[in-house]
């Protein structure tokens, strides 16, 4: 990938990788434990972990026989910082929409004319 932000978004594009990150928020975990909720093999989960590692979102440690995976939130902070101006833009638009709707609700309804019936 050309830059860290692109690597982060590419890694987050897959729902399985997002689910892995969600699991790692709870704490360090082995590949075996990470693979449990998915209908896929451990090697398939390992491939997803490699993508997350290349993006800097996950690291693997070594404690005796156990190789725990842990989340590294730094790239997520960079992604959040990049998205922040867009969040503010949408909040401002929603605030203007709320104000407009409140203005419409405050206006009295225009009088309605009774309908005239055609004679049969």
């Amino acid at each position: 990938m050309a830059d860290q932000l692109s690597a982060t978004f590419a890694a987050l594009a897959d729902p399985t990788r997002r689910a892995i990150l969600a699991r790692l928020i709870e704490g360090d975990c082995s590949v075996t434990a990470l693979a449990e909720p998915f209908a896929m093999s451990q090697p398939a989960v390992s491939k997803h972990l490699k993508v997350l590692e290349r993006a800097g979102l996950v690291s693997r440690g070594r404690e005796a026989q156990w190789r725990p995976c842990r989340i590294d939130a730094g790239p997520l902070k960079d992604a959040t910082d990049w998205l922040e101006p867009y969040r503010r833009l949408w909040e401002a638009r929603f605030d203007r929409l709320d104000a407009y709707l409140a203005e419409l609700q405050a206006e009295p309804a225009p009088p309605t004319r009774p309908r005239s019936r055609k004679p049969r």
Side-chain angles (χ1 to χ4, degrees):
M1 288 280 148
D3 64 288
Q4 180 62 49
L5 193 59
S6 295
T8 299
F9 283 123
L12 294 173
D14 186 275
T16 301
R17 291 192 285 268
R18 292 192 304 268
I20 289 171
L21 288 176
R23 167 57 188 89
L24 290 173
I25 287 172
E26 298 170 13
D28 296 357
C29 194
S30 69
V31 176
T32 305
L34 283 173
E36 285 175 5
F38 302 106
M40 64 178 69
S41 65
Q42 264 187 305
V45 171
S46 289
K47 286 182 182 181
H48 283 291
L49 283 169
K50 286 179 185 172
V51 172
L52 291 168
E53 281 183 284
R54 282 194 301 270
L57 294 165
V58 168
S59 64
R60 294 193 216 192
R62 181 170 286 189
E63 297 174 16
Q65 298 296 319
W66 190 50
R67 297 208 44 187
C69 299
R70 69 180 44 93
I71 192 168
D72 292 328
L76 293 173
K77 168 87 169 78
D78 296 339
T80 300
D81 291 345
W82 185 84
L83 288 167
E84 181 61 23
Y86 300 98
R87 185 190 63 77
R88 286 193 308 262
L89 170 76
W90 281 106
E91 281 185 358
R93 287 181 178 181
F94 285 133
D95 289 346
R96 285 195 307 271
L97 179 60
D98 284 343
Y100 178 69
L101 292 174
E103 195 177 295
L104 288 177
Q105 289 174 346
E107 290 178 5
T112 57
R113 291 189 346 203
R115 291 185 183 175
S116 61
R117 295 188 176 235
K118 293 182 181 177
R120 291 186 183 214

